[in-house]
Amino acid sequence: MKNQLLMRWCLLTAIAITGFGWSYAQRVGLRTNALAWATATPNLGVELRMSRHFTFALDAYGNPLKFDKLRTQFVALQPEVRYWFSARPQAGHFLGINAFGAAYKFQAKNTRHEGDAVAAGLTYGYSIPLHRRWSMEAAIGAGVLYHRDFHYGKNSERPDSPNNKKVRLAPTKLGLTFTYHLK
């Protein structure tokens, strides 16, 4: 229940912050992160141009991996507002402010983690137009991450409350993203 509330809060915040720009968007792009696909994590995003120098991106990730000794399940939303240095948005260098919210379950060998995480950070990236409607971008970001989870052994009962809470500096974005521009 708390994970659903967290994800709804992140989505509503992103819409509230940038909703004014959606009606004026002149260019819309559908995007996917190839590095996430390399880890078997399906993902899809949208990027909307809000003005000459600003865009808003919202990416969604999910992963239901299950191997012999490794099991992961997570969903994540990552909104980002970007400032493009060139007069042509979605091409060239950009700086961004990103955030994300995630809910996860992770099991490796005999240890389980179930919890959620939120983060906020800064992003730097560069986008290269490949064709009239296609572009490729590389981006990296870092910021502050807060996570809390239930940490327990495979044969143990889940604790009543989260017993592992931390705030740390961490990577918040790493991407090699391909975008198809709709208009």
Side-chain angles (χ1 to χ4, degrees):
M1 181 69 177
K2 289 182 182 179
N3 293 337
Q4 290 176 346
L5 289 173
L6 172 69
M7 298 306 283
R8 287 180 186 164
W9 180 84
C10 289
L11 182 59
L12 290 174
T13 301
I15 291 170
I17 290 171
T18 60
F20 67 89
W22 286 19
S23 62
Y24 300 105
Q26 298 172 354
R27 191 166 187 174
V28 178
L30 293 178
R31 41 192 277 131
T32 190
N33 185 341
L35 294 181
W37 282 103
T39 64
T41 303
N43 67 91
L44 186 62
V46 63
E47 186 168 10
L48 306 167
R49 185 159 76 181
M50 296 167 28
S51 70
R52 187 172 181 179
H53 289 280
F54 286 94
T55 60
F56 170 74
L58 180 64
D59 298 317
Y61 299 85
N63 191 329
L65 275 182
K66 292 183 182 179
F67 293 109
D68 289 339
K69 296 182 181 182
L70 174 68
R71 292 177 186 218
T72 71
Q73 295 177 331
F74 76 87
V75 293
L77 285 177
Q78 186 169 37
E80 180 177 17
V81 175
R82 296 173 168 185
Y83 175 79
W84 295 85
F85 291 103
S86 69
R88 180 180 173 200
Q90 297 169 302
H93 299 273
F94 67 87
L95 286 177
I97 297 172
N98 71 63
F100 78 78
Y104 60 90
K105 292 181 182 180
F106 175 83
Q107 177 183 330
K109 296 185 182 179
N110 294 324
T111 304
R112 292 184 181 182
H113 295 268
E114 294 180 34
D116 50 33
V118 293
L122 299 175
T123 306
Y124 167 77
Y126 187 81
S127 181
I128 302 168
L130 299 175
H131 187 266
R132 183 172 163 253
R133 294 203 179 263
W134 286 96
S135 66
M136 176 180 71
E137 81 179 36
I140 188 166
V144 177
L145 169 75
Y146 169 74
H147 72 88
R148 63 180 182 171
D149 63 30
F150 299 92
H151 179 125
Y152 58 102
K154 182 178 178 181
N155 297 324
S156 303
E157 286 189 32
R158 181 180 172 193
D160 292 333
S161 62
N163 57 356
N164 185 22
K165 300 177 184 178
K166 292 186 181 172
V167 175
R168 62 178 70 179
L169 294 177
T172 57
K173 185 163 191 98
L174 182 61
L176 181 60
T177 304
F178 291 90
T179 303
Y180 178 77
H181 302 282
L182 297 174
K183 60 181 192 174

